[in-house]
Each structure stands twice: as C-alpha cells, then as structure tokens.
Amino acid sequence: MTTCSWATKTPRDLDYHDHEWGVPVFEDHKHFEMLTLESAQSGLSWSTILAKREGYLEAFHQFDIEKVAKMGEADVERLVQFTGIVRHRQKIASTINNASAIQTIQKEFGSFSHYIWSFVDYSPLAHERASLKDVPGKTDLSNTIAKDLKKRGFKFLGTTTVYAYLQAIGMVNDHVVSCPQHTKTARLQGEVKKHKP
C-alpha cells in the first residue's frame, strides 16, 4: 500500500493526510477553517499552510465565525504584520468578508454545512484514482459551487481552490486507490447520509 505522494514531505503533512484529509466535515467553524486555509494556499504549497495553521487559529479566533465577522480594517493592518500567517492583505480581508458571507448562508439554510452538502445531497463522490495524475484540479461540481459562492459574496475562492476544499472536507474521495486511507475514507463517507437534516 502506498500513501498519496503529496503527503510524504513532512510528518505534519502525513498526519493531516491520515487523520483529516477526506474525512467528512459537518461543523461550520471547521468548514470556515478549511475554506480559509485552502484560500491561503493559492500560489503556495500546502506544507507551508499547514506549518502556519496554529498561526491562523490564533489570528482568526479559532475560526469563530461570529468573532471574525466583527473584525475590521484595524485587524487587517495588524495581521499584515503577523508572521504566523501568510501576510497577504487581500487574503486576510477576504477571510473576514467570508465569515460574514457564511453568516448570511447560515440564516438561509440553517448552517453552512447543510448548504455545502446539499450540492451532493449528502452523497460524497467516491473516486478510484490510480495516481495523482488522475486527480483533476477542478470539476463541474467545483465550478458550480465556486460560481454560487461568488454570487453570495465570497472572495478568493475560485474553482481550483474550491475543489481542494471539497477534497479536504470529504465531499470527494481523492485518496489514490493504493493508499491505505482510501478504504477508510470511503467507509466514513458512507456514513454521511446520517447527517442529512
């Protein structure tokens, strides 16, 4: 059995791969965290973002959506100087903006989790990828979700970033078939229907 090659660079990468990547997520603050981290990763390596994960938790109140939504320009200026995260002004501002956008969705759908899982009717997409070369950078699903998120005011979440997010939250299983986590993840995804309202 061979672990997905992208996860073998550092022990941190491997731990994330083995315990989080592809595991279904239903808590709104966790969705917010993964949206933020995947957005921050744009143009950088995932290893870089994982190394700064604690910094992001500190900077954005453990991804408390209500608290982040109340942050303002002074917080942006402060975080631009904070070395614990990627100091990209637009990405920092978009995180605050996206917290407010999530709140709007929560009011409409009851939770952000219900909104995002409704795109697949709580039925994760099970893939049989032979190698990383078979994993696309985007799909029709990520195109549809990215377009809807943009319409709802989200920023820095294009279709490629959205697809990476869908992989992270378990909406799709893109562990290669030779990876020990492929079967484990598939088993967890089989339980998703139980969370449907």
Side-chain angles (χ1 to χ4, degrees):
M1 301 293 282
T2 305
T3 297
C4 299
S5 59
W6 66 263
T8 58
K9 296 177 181 178
T10 71
R12 185 186 293 111
D13 294 345
L14 185 61
D15 184 68
Y16 170 75
H17 166 274
D18 286 356
H19 299 103
E20 293 187 69
W21 196 64
V23 175
V25 169
F26 304 102
E27 301 82 12
D28 280 6
H29 75 277
K30 191 68 176 179
H31 281 287
F32 181 37
E33 178 182 4
M34 297 319 299
L35 282 170
T36 300
L37 296 181
E38 293 294 355
S39 177
Q41 188 269 334
S42 180
L44 302 168
S45 73
W46 184 240
S47 291
T48 296
I49 300 305
L50 282 183
K52 291 181 176 290
R53 191 175 192 178
E54 290 303 316
Y56 275 92
L57 286 163
E58 178 183 343
F60 295 110
H61 304 286
Q62 308 297 308
F63 292 101
D64 183 307
I65 296 164
E66 184 176 355
K67 288 181 180 180
V68 176
K70 292 178 180 177
M71 294 170 70
E73 185 58 35
D75 295 293
V76 175
E77 292 300 326
R78 173 176 56 82
L79 292 178
V80 166
Q81 306 302 321
F82 180 48
T83 59
I85 65 173
V86 176
R87 297 181 293 171
H88 187 292
R89 184 181 299 275
Q90 286 74 28
K91 289 181 179 180
I92 293 168
S94 72
T95 299
I96 299 170
N97 169 84
N98 292 347
S100 295
I102 287 176
Q103 288 183 316
T104 300
I105 285 179
Q106 287 174 323
K107 291 174 183 175
E108 181 179 350
F109 290 86
S111 72
F112 183 83
S113 186
H114 180 53
Y115 158 77
I116 201 70
W117 281 104
S118 68
F119 280 96
V120 293
D121 192 29
Y122 281 80
S123 296
L125 307 182
H127 295 145
E128 300 288 325
R129 313 291 194 191
S131 73
L132 284 182
K133 293 184 296 183
D134 299 323
V135 180
K138 58 184 178 180
T139 63
D140 288 343
L141 177 61
S142 67
N143 290 341
T144 297
I145 294 176
K147 184 177 180 179
D148 196 67
L149 289 173
K150 183 177 181 180
K151 182 180 71 175
R152 294 175 182 276
F154 286 79
K155 297 180 179 179
F156 266 90
L157 290 172
T159 184
T160 301
T161 298
V162 167
Y163 191 66
Y165 159 71
L166 299 182
Q167 292 172 312
I169 66 162
M171 192 174 288
V172 298
N173 182 359
D174 274 345
H175 286 282
V176 295
V177 292
S178 62
C179 177
Q181 301 305 318
H182 181 271
T183 301
K184 292 181 183 179
T185 299
R187 192 178 304 120
L188 290 170
Q189 289 178 319
E191 301 292 311
V192 169
K193 279 287 187 184
K194 293 180 180 179
H195 293 266
K196 185 176 180 180

